[in-house]
Amino acid sequence: MNSIKSTMQITRTMEMISTARIHKALESAEEAEPYKDAITRMLANVAEAGFTTNEQPLLAQRSEEKHVLFILVASDKGLAGGFNIVQQRAVETEMRRLKARGIESSVITCGRKPTEYFTYRKMAPVMSFVGISSEPNQDEADRIASYAMRGYAKGEIDRVVLYYWHAKNRVEQTQVVEQLLPITKEQLTMPNKPREREALTKVEGRAYTDYAFDPSAEEVLGHLMPAYFRTVIFHALLDSAAAEHGARRRAMQSATDNAREVLGTLERTFNRVRQGSITTELNEIIGGASALEDN
């Protein structure tokens, strides 16, 4: 009972810490959202006005897929329910499926847990970031984006897929699997309804035919795409940080509730045993007194 009380104090404290931190993390993600939405719509509009795949390496379509890069955003710490393991297993399953088809794959990990997971399984990440999952920075996003864009432009990478958790609010997180590259004309221009704070592929297209470009639309698009790519990754890092605190708060709340339930069961058992012991002692005293009276 004392051990469980001690554990319950720890889980309760962790729940309170996560509750305090999730507010700041959600604010950071929300503050980055307007810029992400603006550059996304700008890119979609420029692409609508002057789309070409001849001069833009990031828009080049592959006739054959040989190498896929996965970007996995998780956390440095555990005790967050399935926050890490669900994403890790999803990426590992996809990598093994591609290997069975003869397609190579690699992974960039953000967080100590996924880094250790893939390193232990002899699938060492080509790039990893640890110690900053709860407070990501722009430099991390820039390095990831530069690696992915450079590999894609050189033809060393044929597809880039991003995995992370989206924090819908303080208590709910949803898994996001987003293909970042290649980007097709249909993805840039199709008039879909916008998804929750996410992907260029789901942003409603708005074509403004009276735009005049100097330099050309293709060159403007070439400058916008890297900026968009870095922004999407950075926003995913911020979103994942908020989701991590939410997942840990929920996991610690569940652990605290379970500890309280187990403690209640043990207290009832303890009281029954103690009452049984007292009853036995009373019976022995009464029996001894009766024996003395008979003598």
Side-chain angles (χ1 to χ4, degrees), residues 217-232:
E218 290 82 359
E219 189 169 347
V220 173
L221 189 63
H223 288 285
L224 282 177
M225 287 199 64
Y228 162 78
F229 201 77
R230 294 184 177 92
T231 302
V232 169

Side-chain angles (χ1 to χ4, degrees), residues 4-278:
I4 291 177
K5 286 180 180 179
S6 177
T7 302
M8 187 170 66
Q9 289 177 351
I10 295 173
T11 57
R12 176 58 179 165
T13 301
M14 294 183 67
E15 177 189 349
M16 294 172 64
I17 292 173
S18 295
T19 301
R21 289 180 175 176
I22 189 175
H23 178 70
K24 181 179 178 181
L26 279 172
E27 281 187 344
S28 297
E30 290 172 357
E31 287 173 358
E33 184 181 348
Y35 177 76
K36 174 179 178 292
D37 290 343
I39 196 170
T40 297
R41 294 190 181 279
M42 187 183 302
L43 178 59
N45 290 329
V46 173
E48 178 72 13
F51 186 95
T52 178
T53 59
N54 298 328
E55 300 180 5
Q56 301 299 332
L58 297 182
L59 297 178
Q61 302 296 309
R62 304 286 196 257
S63 59
E64 182 181 3
E65 189 174 89
K66 297 180 180 180
H67 189 107
V68 178
L69 173 65
F70 295 95
I71 302 173
L72 173 57
V73 183
S75 69
D76 292 314
K77 301 177 182 179
L79 300 177
F83 184 83
N84 292 305
I85 195 64
V86 170
Q87 296 283 55
Q88 290 165 179
R89 288 178 176 173
V91 172
E92 182 186 13
T93 299
E94 185 64 16
M95 292 177 72
R96 295 190 184 281
R97 186 184 68 83
L98 292 173
K99 185 177 180 180
R101 294 169 49 195
I103 301 175
E104 296 181 358
S105 61
S106 56
V107 60
I108 294 176
T109 55
C110 301
R112 181 173 284 105
K113 288 297 181 180
T115 300
E116 294 174 348
Y117 181 91
F118 285 98
T119 301
Y120 178 78
R121 285 160 176 75
K122 310 299 181 184
M123 304 165 70
V126 295
M127 183 182 291
S128 60
F129 300 86
V130 298
I132 53 176
S133 67
S134 60
E135 295 182 358
N137 53 62
Q138 186 67 54
D139 179 66
E140 180 184 2
D142 291 346
R143 291 173 61 187
I144 295 172
S146 296
Y147 179 90
M149 290 188 295
R150 182 171 59 252
Y152 192 86
K154 290 182 178 180
E156 299 171 354
I157 298 173
D158 302 309
R159 183 159 57 97
V160 179
V161 185
L162 175 66
Y163 282 72
Y164 70 99
W165 286 99
H166 164 56
K168 296 182 67 175
N169 48 53
R170 288 179 172 82
V171 297
E172 188 176 358
Q173 303 83 40
T174 57
Q175 186 180 26
V176 177
V177 180
E178 187 69 41
Q179 178 174 307
L180 301 182
L181 294 173
I183 298 176
T184 64
K185 180 177 180 180
E186 289 74 19
Q187 288 176 317
L188 286 170
T189 59
M190 62 188 300
N192 290 338
K193 294 182 179 180
R195 189 175 65 179
E196 297 173 347
R197 301 192 301 174
E198 295 309 323
L200 172 68
T201 59
K202 303 298 181 180
V203 172
E204 182 179 0
R206 297 179 182 177
Y208 297 92
T209 56
D210 58 342
Y211 279 168
F213 294 95
D214 185 18
S216 65
E218 290 82 359
E219 189 169 347
V220 173
L221 189 63
H223 288 285
L224 282 177
M225 287 199 64
Y228 162 78
F229 201 77
R230 294 184 177 92
T231 302
V232 169
I233 294 177
F234 183 52
H235 188 270
L237 295 173
L238 294 173
D239 207 355
S240 178
E244 176 188 350
H245 293 308
R248 183 168 292 109
R249 186 205 64 81
R250 185 173 58 182
M252 292 300 97
Q253 181 183 31
S254 178
T256 302
D257 294 341
N258 291 339
R260 188 176 291 111
E261 181 179 348
V262 172
L263 186 61
T265 301
L266 289 177
E267 286 179 343
R268 288 192 295 270
T269 302
F270 174 78
N271 290 334
R272 284 198 298 268
V273 172
R274 184 179 61 177
Q275 185 63 43
S277 176
I278 294 172

